[in-house]
Amino acid sequence: MNAQLHHITPDRIATAKLDNEHEAIAAARALAQRFKASASRRDKERLLPFAELDALSQSGLLGITVPEQYGGLDVSNTVLAEITAILSEADGSIGQIPQNHFYILEALRTDGTEEQKRYYFGRALAGDRFGNALSERGTKTVGHYNTRITRDGIGYRVNGSKYYSTGVLFADWITVFALDEEERLVMAFVPKGTEGVEIIDDWDGFGQRVTGSGTTLLNNVYVHADSVVHHHKGFERPTTIGSVGQIIHAGIDLGIARAAFAETLDFVRTKSRPWTNSGVDNAADDPLTIAKVGQLAVRLEAALATVERAGRKVDVAQIDTTEENVVDASLAVAAAKVLTTEIALEATNALFELAGTASVKLDLNLDRHWRNARTHTLHDPVRWKHHVVGNYHLNGVIPPKSGAL
């Protein structure tokens, strides 16, 4: 093992040890209560959540997917999605930040060496945060990469430019995705502060404003050989890398939808006026409003049930990774992502429809829920999930092996 795998020992309060899934859920709820209180102000003033991410590290939640043989809790994917939803309901930006962290840990579980697993899983259990340097601008598609990793003696050099580097501002490790000299996709762990890495806080999207999703510039960055994972192998055979990553995205949208629904209920009960011709004294007694709220509640319940079912299928595929189980998980997660996308957009839009004109005041900042939902749901188009599911059922075409499925 070389020196790089001893590079980071952040000075932070000892990470809590979570003994079961109930404790993990409780920890998420405690954090959510804290995060929710200042979420609107963070969004309005674009205050980056460094303290909140430190609290997340200390909570022990960043190590919940580490396999038991490496000292982790190895929570079910249903619980992982629910914890994501809990955090996202409190603050959609904070809920999104660890998505790449957990994706990276799943990729490590799938294709890392034993030495890499022992070390990086240990760092996750200690509260280290893994950010991504994945997507690029100016390529033919989002699945193409210009960033390159080339041999340099016993190690490598990385050169390129990344955008949408979610969470990288808060990361202890920058996980760079690059093509090697044989055009194969690899994943390289680069410690924060490594020479040649420049992180620019230039994310200016109207939603998910404090995810730290800026530009990462990589100028001849040196990477030790044992910090490189052959990520391409995870898409040359059936794996759950994509379905784990996607069920977390579904959890984010579910949480945002819940937040908007809760805001709707509160506003209609306490502030909205009934429509002139409704014949009722309180907005909460308007039969059309009641029916719309019921419709939203039903669709939220359906989305949650689909996420839970998909999580169980991903669990099965992780344990028994056959093509049949992986396809079953991928299709179920695709369905969950479709339904959570739809309810996130519907619930955040219905908030204003039902609450009325008074709800659009700038000081309330209720539009952050719609902005967060609209921004996050653009990550991968659900129309292609419909296509993948339909093509499988109609023509027997196996879903492509992808991080987006």
Side-chain angles (χ1 to χ4, degrees):
M1 183 181 294
N2 66 49
Q4 182 171 354
L5 295 191
H6 296 284
H7 181 84
I8 288 192
T9 307
D11 294 325
R12 61 166 59 103
I13 298 172
T15 303
K17 185 178 185 302
L18 301 171
D19 292 325
N20 55 59
E21 293 184 340
H22 295 294
E23 289 186 4
I25 292 284
R29 286 175 176 158
L31 285 177
Q33 186 174 7
R34 170 180 168 180
F35 296 165
K36 180 180 178 180
S38 50
S40 179
R41 181 167 177 257
R42 274 193 300 277
D43 174 84
K44 282 198 289 187
E45 301 178 23
R46 199 171 179 277
L47 302 173
L48 295 173
F50 287 98
E52 288 75 14
L53 266 292
D54 284 342
L56 182 61
S57 287
Q58 293 158 14
S59 72
L61 288 173
L62 294 180
I64 57 174
T65 63
V66 172
E68 291 181 0
Q69 62 265 42
Y70 299 97
L73 191 54
D74 199 11
V75 298
S76 69
N77 286 281
T78 296
V79 168
L80 176 60
E82 177 60 20
I83 286 172
T84 302
I86 290 169
L87 296 176
S88 299
E89 182 176 356
D91 185 321
S93 286
I94 290 178
Q96 183 185 342
I97 291 169
Q99 189 276 335
N100 289 283
H101 171 95
F102 290 117
Y103 175 95
I104 289 161
L105 293 184
E106 177 65 6
L108 179 68
R109 185 190 70 82
T110 301
D111 289 308
T113 66
E114 282 302 308
E115 185 180 44
Q116 289 169 333
K117 291 176 186 179
R118 284 195 302 272
Y119 182 74
Y120 292 116
F121 284 150
R123 295 317 312 159
L125 291 170
D128 281 12
R129 300 187 288 268
F130 295 88
N132 91 90
L134 173 63
S135 296
E136 303 178 14
R137 292 193 288 190
T139 56
K140 182 179 179 180
T141 73
V142 295
H144 287 80
Y145 303 91
N146 289 327
T147 300
R148 299 285 164 166
I149 183 167
T150 55
R151 278 284 182 184
D152 182 13
I154 61 172
Y156 295 90
R157 295 283 178 179
V158 178
N159 287 278
S161 176
K162 299 289 188 174
Y163 196 59
Y164 310 117
S165 306
T166 303
V168 74
L169 289 175
F170 318 106
D172 299 300
W173 298 88
I174 301 165
T175 312
V176 180
F177 294 78
L179 295 179
D180 68 10
E181 291 157 318
E182 297 180 40
E183 300 292 312
R184 301 175 305 182
L185 185 63
V186 304
M187 184 173 79
F189 292 93
V190 177
K192 181 180 182 178
T194 296
E195 183 178 359
V197 177
E198 181 181 1
I199 301 170
I200 305 172
D201 180 20
D202 59 353
W203 168 244
D204 63 353
F206 64 65
Q208 304 295 74
R209 297 189 67 220
V210 295
T211 55
S213 302
T215 297
T216 303
L217 302 178
L218 305 153
N219 182 22
N220 213 33
V221 177
Y222 187 75
V223 179
H224 289 270
D226 61 0
S227 297
V228 175
V229 175
H230 293 282
H231 192 46
H232 60 92
K233 292 182 178 179
F235 305 109
E236 294 171 354
R237 69 191 196 282
T239 69
T240 52
I241 295 174
S243 56
V244 169
Q246 286 293 301
I247 202 169
I248 301 170
H249 279 306
I252 296 166
D253 294 333
L254 180 62
I256 294 171
R258 285 176 177 171
F261 185 67
E263 299 271 24
T264 301
L265 297 181
D266 179 66
F267 206 98
V268 170
R269 287 170 181 157
T270 63
K271 299 181 182 67
S272 296
R273 295 180 295 175
W275 181 241
T276 304
N277 300 322
S278 65
V280 298
D281 294 328
N282 300 302
D285 295 324
D286 183 330
L288 298 182
T289 298
I290 292 172
K292 182 64 177 181
V293 167
Q295 181 184 70
L296 292 171
V298 167
R299 291 183 179 175
L300 266 171
E301 186 67 22
L304 172 59
T306 307
V307 170
E308 291 177 342
R309 182 172 183 269
R312 292 191 294 271
K313 288 179 178 289
V314 179
D315 291 344
V316 170
Q318 283 180 319
I319 295 167
D320 184 16
T321 314
T322 64
E323 182 166 74
E324 180 182 6
N325 287 340
V326 168
V327 168
D328 196 27
S330 295
L331 295 174
V333 172
K337 186 63 171 65
V338 168
L339 292 187
T340 54
T341 291
E342 291 176 350
I343 190 56
L345 295 175
E346 184 178 7
T348 54
N349 189 55
L351 165 58
F352 302 102
E353 175 190 345
L354 298 181
T357 308
S359 64
V360 304
K361 289 174 61 66
L362 284 175
D363 64 318
L364 296 175
N365 198 28
L366 294 177
D367 61 297
R368 73 184 186 278
H369 302 301
W370 181 87
R371 289 186 285 103
N372 287 342
R374 182 65 283 179
T375 301
H376 180 257
T377 55
L378 297 176
H379 272 71
D380 51 282
V382 295
R383 61 186 180 274
W384 276 102
K385 297 190 186 300
H386 284 292
H387 175 270
V388 166
V389 174
N391 211 16
Y392 174 79
H393 287 291
L394 187 62
N395 298 314
V397 176
I398 299 298
K401 295 176 177 63
S402 163
L405 282 171

